[in-house]
Amino acid sequence: ILQRRPEGSKVVYILTRPFTGSIRRQFGDEVVELLHQMWERQPRDRPTMTQVRERMEQLVAGKTNYV
């Protein structure tokens, strides 16, 4: 989420992670951990979309009550 904040004579955009409390309650810690990994500051530290898909498939296969 981009937040626009005036700072002196310029505008600064700050990237912040979304609130995950309701996601944790509905989907559990594993999904929230994956979201946190996807929001790592350094792009090289984030999982690829292939890795995200594979992890989500593992999570869905282990728990069928997500929907």
Side-chain angles (χ1 to χ4, degrees):
I1 299 173
L2 281 177
Q3 293 182 351
R4 183 177 186 243
R5 295 188 182 167
E7 190 173 286
S9 62
K10 55 186 172 176
V11 175
V12 177
Y13 288 91
I14 300 172
L15 185 64
T16 59
R17 292 181 182 193
F19 175 70
T20 57
S22 59
I23 296 170
R24 185 181 307 277
R25 284 190 295 278
Q26 185 173 358
F27 299 106
D29 294 334
E30 298 92 350
V31 172
V32 173
E33 177 57 33
L34 180 59
L35 288 172
H36 283 281
Q37 291 170 7
M38 294 168 66
W39 278 83
E40 284 293 333
R41 183 174 288 277
Q42 296 296 323
R44 69 177 175 270
D45 296 334
R46 300 175 195 152
T48 65
M49 287 311 296
T50 299
Q51 292 169 323
V52 170
R53 181 184 50 84
E54 289 171 353
R55 183 64 182 134
M56 289 302 297
E57 288 173 351
Q58 292 170 352
L59 292 172
V60 170
K63 296 183 180 180
T64 58
N65 60 350
Y66 283 146
V67 180

